[in-house]
Amino acid sequence: MENVALVVGARGVIGTNLVEHLASLPDWKVIGLSRRGGTDVPGRVRHVAVDLLDPDDTRTRLSGLTDVTHVFYVAYQDRPSWAELVAPNLAMLVNVVDAIEPVARGLRHVSLMQGYKVYGAHLGPFKTPAREDDPPHLPPEFNVDQQRFLAERQQGKAWTWSALRPSVVGGSALGNPMNLAVAIAVYASMSKELGVPLRFPGKPGAYDALLELTDAGLLAKATVWAATTPAAANEAFNITNGDLFRWSELWPKLAAWFGLEVALPLKMSLQDVMADKEQVWKQMQATHGLAATSYAEVSSWPFADFVFGWDYDFFADSSKSRRAGFHEYVGTEQMFYRIFEDLRRRRIIP
């Protein structure tokens, strides 16, 4: 039986890799939803532009998608405060399910992308290792509201749901506000261009905290696994690379990849110090023959500041997914090198 995937949020760092992975599988067709749409791949990937915050537009755009069997929800809209995140992010999920459930009679699964915000990781030091059955924290938290909606909606239905909880996701997609690897690559490339060593810019305690990341390709595989494995039905799973690291150990290695020396860490806001660097970026493009990528597309400075500010341990227990049958892993150091090499191959960085 052919599987038809509806990837909601197909242009982000997670969605881009998920679409690519699904399109590489022999028994899947892919429909990608995003605000901007995209370029179709005949016979494999079709893109649809839709305003998910508009229930009428969502219903209209999705009305003809009667053959969808799996919904992969990876969409996200940012807002200034945690409380303001709830309404739009819950509404988008509700609008998608309201639109697709009545027309896709063969719907078998709805996959929800979450994160460690479920555990309160964004608020400060939290219990580590975090586990899927840890109690929730005081609201607001849109991830919890989204999962509650799906679990309640699924009652008595033929379809099932799953929730994936990655750490910070590593990928090379551009134009995403939460792309740490691209931020590091641009920061390092610019440091080299300006003739300065690569300093860790985060809080002093963050340099020695214990962390983990999640490769976007690994996450894509885990997402499809959870959506097609009976043992994973109606469950949440932490998905991580499988190793732990400290910036104090990894940072010099990343610097060495760029041919840079490392100086002592210096706490500084990348959002502030990189605010005036657009002309430097344009000069680098001219000097090194780089692709015409706008500075905005490679600027994830607020998110990088956020991650580099974690002066506490940041990791979860991912053994539940292994017990259920998912056994793949990725070395975090190698993940960074692969992303940097991809950015260099695409002429994004010199």
Side-chain angles (χ1 to χ4, degrees):
M1 184 182 298
E2 185 175 59
N3 302 301
V4 180
L6 181 66
V7 180
V8 185
R11 296 291 297 274
V13 64
I14 295 176
T16 298
N17 281 271
L18 181 56
V19 167
E20 291 176 354
H21 176 61
L22 286 164
S24 73
L25 302 176
D27 52 350
W28 287 85
K29 287 186 178 180
V30 186
I31 304 167
L33 298 187
S34 63
R35 282 176 292 178
R36 295 172 291 168
T39 304
D40 293 349
V41 179
R44 302 299 296 160
V45 181
R46 171 189 168 197
H47 285 276
V48 178
V50 58
D51 179 3
L52 296 176
L53 286 174
D54 184 335
D56 292 332
D57 186 54
T58 305
R59 192 177 301 110
T60 299
R61 301 285 184 178
L62 273 58
S63 62
L65 307 184
T66 57
D67 55 348
V68 168
T69 58
H70 295 73
V71 173
F72 295 95
Y73 187 89
V74 299
Y76 170 79
Q77 282 210 12
D78 201 13
R79 290 294 187 273
S81 71
W82 299 120
E84 291 174 275
L85 287 170
V86 176
N89 284 288
L90 179 59
M92 290 191 298
L93 175 63
V94 172
N95 290 342
V96 168
V97 175
D98 282 350
I100 203 68
E101 192 180 27
V103 300
R105 300 292 181 168
L107 182 65
R108 300 200 293 272
H109 193 83
V110 179
S111 171
L112 175 64
M113 192 60 61
Q114 296 182 318
Y116 289 6
K117 289 185 179 70
V118 170
Y119 306 123
H122 57 302
L123 301 174
F126 63 106
K127 183 187 81 65
T128 53
R131 295 188 173 89
E132 291 88 348
D133 58 358
D134 285 348
H137 59 82
L138 193 69
E141 181 44 59
F142 74 88
N143 287 277
V144 174
D145 291 344
Q146 287 178 326
Q147 182 174 326
R148 183 183 298 116
F149 161 73
L150 270 188
E152 292 175 354
R153 185 67 168 259
Q154 185 272 336
Q155 294 296 315
K157 305 293 177 62
W159 55 270
T160 57
W161 62 269
S162 60
L164 288 302
R165 298 175 182 172
S167 181
V168 174
V169 176
S172 57
L174 304 181
N176 188 278
M178 296 188 293
N179 199 323
L180 181 67
V182 172
I184 292 174
V186 174
Y187 173 47
S189 298
M190 203 165 287
S191 295
K192 187 171 185 178
E193 189 75 12
L194 296 174
V196 298
L198 188 66
R199 292 182 183 270
F200 180 76
K203 291 182 179 178
Y207 204 47
D208 294 308
L210 199 58
L211 307 172
E212 67 186 353
L213 299 181
T214 303
D215 175 71
L218 176 78
L219 179 58
K221 293 178 181 179
T223 302
V224 176
W225 163 81
T228 56
T229 301
N234 302 330
E235 296 285 348
F237 296 96
N238 296 325
I239 302 297
T240 70
N241 284 353
D243 59 0
L244 299 172
F245 72 94
R246 303 181 198 275
W247 288 118
S248 57
E249 180 184 12
L250 182 60
W251 196 258
K253 296 178 181 178
L254 301 184
W257 192 91
F258 288 93
L260 285 166
E261 297 292 329
V262 173
L264 290 175
L266 178 64
K267 185 181 182 303
M268 55 183 168
S269 165
L270 291 180
Q271 186 174 9
D272 291 341
V273 301
M274 304 300 278
D276 67 341
K277 300 297 190 295
E278 184 170 3
Q279 282 305 120
V280 177
W281 179 247
K282 290 180 178 178
Q283 184 58 51
M284 288 171 59
Q285 290 178 321
T287 301
H288 302 285
L290 302 181
T293 306
S294 73
Y295 192 52
E297 286 184 278
V298 298
S299 300
S300 302
W301 310 125
F303 182 66
D305 285 339
F306 183 53
V307 174
F308 294 146
W310 293 337
D311 54 356
Y312 47 88
D313 290 350
F314 191 99
F315 64 96
D317 174 11
S318 56
S319 63
K320 180 180 177 181
S321 64
R322 293 194 296 275
R323 292 193 298 272
F326 185 74
H327 300 292
E328 298 204 34
Y329 61 90
V330 169
T332 296
E333 182 181 340
Q334 288 68 38
M335 177 198 77
F336 273 113
Y337 298 157
R338 189 179 66 253
I339 293 171
F340 296 159
E341 287 166 357
D342 180 60
L343 293 172
R344 182 169 284 175
R345 177 185 57 80
R346 292 158 57 196
R347 306 301 300 159
I348 306 298
I349 61 173

